[in-house]
Amino acid sequence: MMKLKRLIFMSAVILIITAFYAYSREEIPTIDNIVFDHPQRSAAVFDHDDHNEKAMLEDDCSICHHVYENKKLIKDESSEDYLCSECHFLKPTPENAIPLRMAFHKQCKECHFESNKGPVLCGECHIKK
Amino acid sequence: MHSFINFIMGPMVWISFLIFFIGVIFRFFQVIKLVNERENFIYTYMSFKYSFRSIFAWLIPFLPVSTRKSPVFYGISYVFHLLLFLIPIFLLSHVALLEESMQWSWFTMNDAVADILTLIVIFSLLFFIIRRIVVPEVNFLTKLSDFGFILIVALPFVTGFLAYHQFFAYQWMVIVHVLSGELMIILIPFTRFFHMFMAPFTRAYTGSEFGSVRHAKDW
Amino acid sequence: MQETLTTNEKPESNKKDVIDEGVEKGLARLTPEKISTVINQVLTKETGARFKVYVETCMRCGLCADACSIFLSNDRDPKLSPAGKVKQTILEMINKKGKVSKQLLKDVVRIAHTECNVCKKCSMYCPFGIDIAYMMTLVRRICHKLEITPLYIQDTVNSHSATMNQMWVKEDEWIDTLQWQEEDAREEFENLRIPLDKDGADIMYSVIAPEPKFQAGLIYQTAVIMHAAGLDWTMPSTPGWDNSNMAMFTGDFEISGRIARAHYETATKLHVKKIVMGECGHAFRSVYDVGNRWVGWAMPPVDLVHAIDFYHDLLTSGRIKVKEQYKKTVTLHDPCNVSRGRGLHNKAREIVNILCESFIEMTPNREHNYCCGAGGGVINCGPPWKGSRMINNREKKEQLERTGAQVLIAPCHNCHSGLEDIVHHYGLKMEIKFLGDIIFEVMEKTIYQKDS
């Protein structure tokens, strides 16, 4: 009798966990990584509005969507209507030394390290499916 | 936590390599000093031709008779030593990190390939452990430290493998991975890991003696 | 004798529990202070980079094991692998900082002196090329300094030190023997000479002391070969005629160096162009590789030619012609000290093929041969150790047996005696010969003329 009870209990637990797991997986929005030819890692987890709220960016888009001209940051100008890949190409070029992958990584990690918050390790964004 | 991670993945890497290089230089200095003081005849017998003849002969898989006597161990050991360097050097995550911090970048291998190669390394190490226990003449020579060496090498590979697959405790897996990798680098000059630097020289000296004095092959 | 072994360790039950008087009496004299002083003196003052690097580089992979015929002869006993022997001797001494027991020293003597032929095959099997034979020589050096060297080999060293030859051969005995051989040979060959102390001769011929002592016939044969080849040669009448060197194997490097120096000084005094030596391996190692270094000569100061090299020259240049090839099936044993020690194995084969009709290889061969089991001073440790030596030579016996040859050619004295023991002990049907024996048998015994 005890055995059966335990079995049912364990199955229920496993069921809930897997259901939760599958559900939570489904829900996480990611960055669009379509420009990468053969991405080896899953697209990085990123929920734009949720992130900005947590980071208290208060609608200042230029913090992330920066604009550089002649390698100098133009203050208070923002580039949210452009794709990152329009400036940051897959391979570094003379005009822009920072290739796309590095641009993404640096953009997130440098800020996260500075503010002591947010993911900084590979698998914290590139979650294995 | 962020500053700790930043430290072990940033400054600590350089500190490890610094200790490694200083250690290597110190060890070489020690040996050269001893050679000069006690055995400077070594210079007399060292021959470039026969040193390289011997080293190259021993780099060709299964050319030396000795390696054909233990083909399984030698084969596994050969592949293991190659992968020990190839995987960490050409791993995408490592190169990506280096690129971000130093703008250094080179060829990387596919993650799926690296994954399989890592498994090969782990199974090689498992084989070494079993061989040390099972083969009597090897068991007789084995000290606890020999298992220690295997463990120290295994740790970064096992944790790297687990971290890549994100099975559990991801953050801790990465932390242990980084720390154990650094530990291995630091220990190289100060333990028998140093054979990676000394072996070519012992080989070269024996090769020189066999070649230029004894006119015989040494493989 | 038992009470002298003041130790708590249980003496290991060993099929080879041999009583060697030299070792036992030496151990009885030792004090713990003396033991640790000597060991530390040798390990710290007499070693350098090689020793340090070897000890710190060995990864204990065990690949050296398959090199060792003694290990193979004992059903792969882990204690007899080369690195295993280092572990039980040198490493033990390092770990205990020289404070080792007498029981351990007894084992150490046995291992270093009778379970290792210092044949250097293991340094060919170690991926790092670690010279384990060098380590074993160091152990023997310690035994020498502790005065626990096995009795019989110590006696030969004593002889070396007193007479400059290995067998207590007195000067008049030596000269008499040469003259007696000359006289005998002149009955067969008119005008044959064994020229003594001929100044400025092309060749000084040197032998090991057992030749005048028990095998004077070999000197006779050489005289005939020299005579027939029409060579300008001489033998020294003074000490220095013996090229053998047992001190090299007991770690008595001071005596070892004196022996090699005496040899070369004798040659220099006679103003000869080169030294030709008889078919001996360890003697070659002494004058070519070891003794000369101790004196300070990186390479031999006088051109030194081993019998194999010499015969090869005579046979290929036509100075000695073969009348009729040797009929019986022969096999060739490669002596470590001239094959692995000087790469003469291919010339030896060419000689055998010139001399004999059917030659059967034994395997492994050339640099990978199995030691005769006698070399490295092991046979010179004498009768107390013969039983264990026979057990340790099983692999060699099986190798000989596999060839099925009627005659075994061994161009080395030590090998000769060792193989003789193996053949008798295991009841093999094999005759053992020197290359010189066969040349003597098949050669044209007319005197070489330049235009004939």
Side-chain angles (χ1 to χ4, degrees):
Chain A
M1 203 52 197
M2 279 296 284
K3 262 189 184 167
L4 190 67
K5 257 189 190 168
R6 188 175 290 172
L7 195 71
I8 293 166
F9 178 72
M10 287 305 286
S11 328
V13 168
I14 289 167
L15 203 73
I16 291 164
I17 287 174
T18 30
F20 183 76
Y21 200 63
Y23 174 78
S24 56
R25 279 275 153 126
E26 214 49 46
E27 274 303 287
I28 302 175
T30 62
I31 270 180
D32 181 8
N33 67 348
I34 192 119
V35 284
F36 289 101
D37 289 336
H38 302 286
Q40 294 202 40
R41 297 286 168 105
S42 58
V45 167
F46 184 69
D47 183 332
H48 185 267
D49 298 344
D50 191 40
H51 173 264
N52 295 357
E53 197 176 309
K54 270 190 197 154
M56 294 181 289
L57 296 182
E58 296 173 353
D59 298 332
D60 183 356
C61 306
S62 69
I63 293 178
C64 298
H65 299 278
H66 55 226
V67 175
Y68 275 83
E69 226 160 75
N70 293 325
K71 303 190 174 164
K72 277 199 187 104
L73 181 69
I74 312 293
K75 262 202 154 186
D76 298 327
E77 274 209 44
S78 66
S79 57
E80 68 266 29
D81 296 332
Y82 298 88
L83 288 170
C84 305
S85 56
E86 282 178 56
C87 297
H88 296 282
F89 304 112
L90 285 176
K91 293 262 151 64
T93 57
E95 300 89 64
N96 196 332
I98 300 177
L100 186 60
R101 185 182 71 205
M102 204 206 277
F104 276 126
H105 286 169
K106 285 186 106 140
Q107 186 78 313
C108 302
K109 278 164 62 187
E110 278 177 7
C111 202
H112 290 169
F113 272 127
E114 243 167 69
S115 57
N116 255 326
K117 283 190 189 86
V120 289
L121 301 174
C122 316
E124 288 176 316
C125 296
H126 302 286
I127 290 171
K128 203 94 176 161
K129 280 188 191 123
Chain B
M1 197 52 142
H2 276 65
S3 50
F4 176 64
I5 290 174
N6 196 17
F7 175 72
I8 63 166
M9 288 177 76
M12 193 58 208
V13 178
W14 304 116
I15 293 170
S16 313
F17 275 105
L18 196 71
I19 296 174
F20 167 81
F21 281 118
I22 290 172
V24 169
I25 290 165
F26 170 74
R27 285 291 300 269
F28 268 108
F29 177 77
Q30 239 186 348
V31 171
I32 292 167
K33 192 166 156 257
L34 259 180
V35 172
N36 291 342
E37 278 172 6
R38 302 266 181 88
E39 293 177 321
N40 56 10
F41 64 82
I42 285 176
Y43 298 120
T44 311
Y45 294 101
M46 272 292 204
S47 123
F48 272 108
K49 183 180 155 196
Y50 292 113
S51 293
F52 286 113
R53 183 181 80 155
S54 178
I55 290 168
F56 283 129
W58 277 85
L59 286 178
I60 300 169
F62 301 108
L63 178 72
V65 172
S66 160
T67 63
R68 277 179 260 155
K69 300 265 177 188
S70 314
V72 179
F73 166 65
Y74 180 75
I76 291 176
S77 177
Y78 195 94
V79 172
F80 161 79
H81 280 90
L82 272 181
L83 294 181
L84 194 57
F85 291 90
L86 292 184
I87 298 174
I89 292 175
F90 296 110
L91 194 75
L92 176 62
S93 333
H94 290 178
V95 176
L97 284 171
L98 212 58
E99 194 180 4
E100 283 154 33
S101 61
M102 304 301 294
Q103 277 78 48
W104 298 342
S105 173
W106 52 76
F107 165 84
T108 59
M109 64 172 119
N110 188 284
D111 270 349
V113 176
D115 202 31
I116 294 165
L117 296 182
T118 305
L119 272 180
I120 293 176
V121 169
I122 293 169
F123 279 111
S124 307
L125 289 164
L126 211 62
F127 170 81
F128 295 156
I129 292 176
I130 294 168
R131 180 174 179 268
R132 284 214 175 275
I133 296 166
V134 172
V135 179
E137 68 263 24
V138 186
N139 184 266
F140 183 69
L141 299 173
T142 299
K143 291 201 300 185
L144 209 59
S145 67
D146 292 299
F147 290 114
F149 287 126
I150 296 178
L151 228 62
I152 289 167
V153 180
L155 217 51
F157 282 90
V158 172
T159 52
F161 177 80
L162 293 175
Y164 172 69
H165 287 281
Q166 301 170 13
F167 287 133
F168 54 92
Y170 174 76
Q171 203 183 35
W172 284 107
M173 225 36 96
V174 176
I175 289 170
V176 176
H177 173 73
V178 172
L179 286 176
S180 59
E182 287 163 350
L183 177 72
M184 182 162 73
I185 289 166
I186 291 172
L187 286 180
I188 287 172
F190 307 105
T191 59
R192 279 190 282 135
F193 281 140
F194 200 61
H195 74 269
M196 79 181 253
F197 287 100
M198 239 43 256
F201 290 92
T202 51
R203 183 81 262 156
Y205 181 65
T206 296
S208 298
E209 285 265 8
F210 267 81
S212 53
V213 180
R214 304 195 181 111
H215 305 278
K217 293 188 294 180
D218 64 324
W219 57 83
Chain C
M1 205 50 60
Q2 279 308 308
E3 74 271 11
T4 62
L5 298 172
T6 50
T7 168
N8 298 326
E9 291 167 38
K10 270 190 221 145
E12 220 188 320
S13 64
N14 196 322
K15 62 179 184 230
K16 301 167 200 165
D17 215 355
V18 177
I19 302 294
D20 182 304
E21 258 191 272
V23 180
E24 302 293 335
K25 285 191 175 152
L27 284 172
R29 286 191 295 266
L30 289 176
T31 59
E33 294 74 40
K34 169 96 177 163
I35 294 172
S36 63
T37 317
V38 166
I39 292 176
N40 289 323
Q41 192 269 338
V42 173
L43 292 188
T44 59
K45 295 279 186 327
E46 293 193 14
T47 63
R50 278 186 302 166
F51 178 68
K52 185 178 159 64
V53 170
Y54 289 158
V55 169
E56 290 172 358
T57 305
C58 174
M59 289 307 280
R60 297 152 217 235
C61 70
L63 281 180
C64 54
D66 275 297
C68 185
S69 57
I70 294 175
F71 168 79
L72 296 172
S73 295
N74 286 277
D75 303 314
R76 308 182 70 86
D77 179 352
K79 291 188 156 180
L80 293 171
S81 85
K85 292 176 217 172
V86 174
K87 179 192 153 107
Q88 294 167 86
T89 55
I90 288 269
L91 296 186
E92 200 64 24
M93 290 173 179
I94 294 175
N95 289 342
K96 298 214 167 109
K97 298 191 171 61
K99 294 189 177 65
V100 297
S101 68
K102 291 187 177 185
Q103 181 57 47
L104 184 102
L105 284 177
K106 196 179 168 181
D107 290 337
V108 160
V109 178
R110 190 197 72 237
I111 293 166
H113 264 288
T114 74
E115 292 173 354
C116 173
N117 294 103
V118 289
C119 77
K120 293 203 189 242
K121 195 178 170 194
C122 42
S123 63
M124 282 172 67
Y125 280 61
C126 168
F128 304 161
I130 293 175
D131 190 350
I132 296 170
Y134 160 70
M135 312 268 253
M136 282 299 123
T137 313
L138 269 182
V139 178
R140 292 184 184 186
R141 172 78 172 163
I142 290 169
C143 294
H144 156 66
K145 290 201 146 191
L146 290 171
E147 299 175 15
I148 51 173
T149 301
L151 184 69
Y152 280 77
I153 192 168
Q154 184 56 50
D155 181 69
T156 63
V157 177
N158 295 348
S159 166
H160 274 306
S161 100
T163 66
M164 278 293 134
N165 74 68
Q166 194 199 116
M167 297 251 126
W168 303 102
V169 179
K170 290 182 204 120
E171 201 164 330
D172 56 339
E173 239 184 290
W174 162 242
I175 296 170
D176 270 1
T177 307
L178 297 180
Q179 290 181 341
W180 159 46
Q181 291 309 313
E182 184 185 69
E183 222 176 287
D184 275 8
R186 282 170 81 93
E187 283 173 20
E188 214 176 328
F189 305 95
E190 225 185 336
N191 300 329
L192 181 145
R193 295 283 332 267
I194 297 181
L196 292 190
D197 298 329
K198 183 179 171 193
D199 193 77
D202 288 342
I203 294 167
M204 175 180 108
Y205 185 69
S206 65
V207 295
I208 64 168
E211 290 203 14
K213 199 87 181 173
F214 325 110
Q215 297 158 293
L218 291 173
I219 296 173
Y220 179 108
Q221 284 178 7
T222 305
V224 170
I225 292 171
M226 294 283 188
H227 179 69
L231 296 169
D232 177 20
W233 70 300
T234 186
M235 288 182 88
S237 68
T238 49
W241 54 266
D242 179 9
N243 49 32
S244 77
N245 190 343
M246 276 305 136
M248 163 178 80
F249 286 141
T250 62
D252 193 342
F253 300 144
E254 290 80 4
I255 302 277
S256 166
R258 278 177 57 202
I259 296 167
R261 189 174 60 199
H263 191 59
Y264 283 119
E265 278 177 354
T266 306
T268 316
K269 270 184 214 149
L270 291 174
H271 305 103
V272 294
K273 295 203 179 73
K274 62 182 169 191
I275 300 170
V276 170
M277 52 183 293
E279 291 177 61
C280 184
H282 97 273
F284 184 78
R285 177 174 178 158
S286 158
V287 278
Y288 180 73
D289 196 350
V290 180
N292 54 314
R293 296 192 193 199
W294 181 261
V295 184
W297 292 306
M299 294 303 280
V302 179
D303 214 3
L304 179 79
V305 182
H306 187 265
I308 295 177
D309 223 347
F310 180 61
Y311 297 151
H312 186 265
D313 202 32
L314 295 182
L315 289 163
T316 51
S317 67
R319 274 187 176 266
I320 294 287
K321 291 194 180 67
V322 176
K323 193 159 63 182
E324 198 182 0
Q325 274 194 319
Y326 194 68
K327 291 276 183 298
K328 291 178 185 167
T329 53
V330 301
T331 185
L332 174 70
H333 165 76
D334 289 298
C336 307
N337 290 322
V338 294
S339 51
R340 200 156 37 247
R342 182 55 182 80
L344 293 178
H345 41 265
N346 289 328
K347 282 189 175 172
R349 274 167 182 72
E350 286 171 33
I351 296 171
V352 172
N353 280 320
I354 292 172
L355 298 176
C356 308
E357 272 185 4
S358 69
F359 166 47
I360 307 166
E361 277 285 5
M362 62 171 90
T363 44
N365 53 45
R366 296 180 169 86
E367 288 101 336
H368 292 275
N369 70 329
Y370 291 134
C371 174
C372 60
V378 173
I379 193 172
N380 306 76
C381 292
W385 302 96
K386 192 183 168 192
S388 62
R389 180 158 55 84
M390 290 301 102
I391 297 167
N392 293 340
N393 289 356
R394 196 188 69 197
E395 195 68 22
K396 188 77 209 176
K397 165 240 163 190
E398 281 165 13
Q399 185 194 26
L400 297 177
E401 225 170 15
R402 281 197 299 271
T403 66
Q406 294 165 292
V407 172
L408 166 60
I409 300 173
C412 164
H413 272 281
N414 249 321
C415 301
H416 222 263
S417 317
L419 295 169
E420 200 91 54
D421 284 344
I422 294 175
V423 163
H424 287 153
H425 180 84
Y426 287 104
L428 302 184
K429 304 249 171 319
M430 259 180 172
E431 260 179 280
I432 304 170
K433 287 188 183 293
F434 286 105
L435 281 171
D437 293 331
I438 298 190
I439 294 177
F440 183 77
E441 216 175 309
V442 303
M443 70 191 268
E444 200 92 61
K445 282 177 189 123
T446 49
I447 297 171
Y448 170 77
Q449 302 291 335
K450 226 179 191 159
D451 300 310
S452 67

